[in-house]
Amino acid sequence: MTSARTGTRPAARRTTSARRPPARKPPARRPSARPPARRPGLRRRLASWGWLTAVLAVVVLVAVTADAEEREVPLATAECTVPETGVELSGEQVANARTIAQVGYDRGLPERAVVVALATAMQESTLRNLPYGDRDSLGLFQQRPSQGWGTPEQVQDPVYAAGQFYDRLVRVPGWESGELTVVADSVQRSAFPRAYQRWDGFAHSLTAALRSDDFTRACG
């Protein structure tokens, strides 16, 4: 068909419109060959908690130990030097010595009796309440139940043991002025009768120290 005005044939209409090709979908991901991570089992979790508990326990123990070191040393482990002797005693030894001395004073005995008793106990047990000894000997004075000193429980009682020693000491003729080792052996009947003499000076110094306020404050 020719246009009346221009005498030209109109352009032919496009019967189809250009369309975009459809967008391609991304290919689906293949499942990973690695299996999914499993949650730790109960046993493993308990083991982890146990390890953590152990660590915490160590931390607490270190803290408690550090705190204890800052405090005073307990009497049972404190070291005290007996004046004029250089001999160091633990708190346990000082407590036993004080008990022996007090039993003597409570009975109205003179200081000489305390000196002999302390020297004897130092030689027999180093002022420790021993639960063993030669044959059936026990306690501070190593007294033997089989020889009539008392039951095993009694001779390991410091008060009872000291009382038994003083009971027999005052029966020894001349005990107040006799040589210490002779007097002590008259009570103990030791296989080493001369051994007590070595503690004579120590026993005098310890007896005096037990009456000293300075020694009491330092050693309890």
Side-chain angles (χ1 to χ4, degrees):
M1 180 177 177
T2 303
S3 172
R5 292 184 180 180
T6 61
T8 60
R9 183 178 293 178
R13 294 182 180 178
R14 294 181 181 178
T15 56
T16 59
S17 60
R19 295 184 180 178
R20 288 185 178 182
R24 294 182 180 180
K25 295 183 179 180
R29 294 184 179 180
R30 295 181 179 179
S32 174
R34 181 181 299 176
R38 295 182 179 178
R39 298 180 63 184
L42 178 60
R43 182 176 300 178
R44 185 177 299 178
R45 280 180 286 175
L46 290 177
S48 299
W49 279 108
W51 179 83
L52 179 59
T53 302
V55 172
L56 291 176
V58 171
V59 172
V60 172
L61 179 61
V62 171
V64 171
T65 302
D67 180 64
E69 289 178 351
E70 294 178 357
R71 301 177 185 176
E72 292 184 357
V73 179
L75 181 61
T77 58
E79 293 292 337
C80 300
T81 302
V82 178
E84 302 177 4
T85 69
V87 177
E88 289 187 346
L89 299 179
S90 69
E92 175 194 1
Q93 290 170 299
V94 172
N96 288 331
R98 195 177 302 283
T99 297
I100 292 170
Q102 192 60 51
V103 171
Y105 295 137
D106 289 346
R107 290 175 173 236
L109 296 174
E111 190 171 279
R112 172 65 176 172
V114 174
V115 170
V116 176
L118 290 176
T120 302
M122 189 65 181
Q123 171 59 32
E124 294 289 356
S125 67
T126 61
L127 290 170
R128 291 182 171 88
N129 195 15
L130 301 178
Y132 58 85
D134 178 47
R135 289 170 284 188
D136 61 336
S137 300
L138 298 168
L140 289 169
F141 294 91
Q142 290 291 281
Q143 295 160 340
R144 298 182 61 190
S146 64
Q147 300 300 310
W149 287 92
T151 67
E153 292 75 18
Q154 287 175 324
V155 298
Q156 290 181 87
D157 175 359
V159 173
Y160 175 90
Q164 285 291 299
F165 180 84
Y166 288 126
D167 283 346
R168 302 194 185 198
L169 173 66
V170 298
R171 298 175 194 163
V172 177
W175 69 268
E176 293 176 278
S177 57
E179 187 180 4
L180 184 146
T181 192
V182 174
V183 172
D185 185 61
S186 297
V187 177
Q188 297 295 107
R189 301 296 181 184
S190 171
F192 306 96
R194 304 299 301 178
Y196 302 103
Q197 192 63 37
R198 63 180 294 210
W199 299 111
D200 190 354
F202 165 83
H204 277 91
S205 296
L206 179 56
T207 300
L210 292 173
R211 289 180 172 272
S212 166
D213 291 338
D214 291 340
F215 188 80
T216 299
R217 282 193 293 269
C219 303

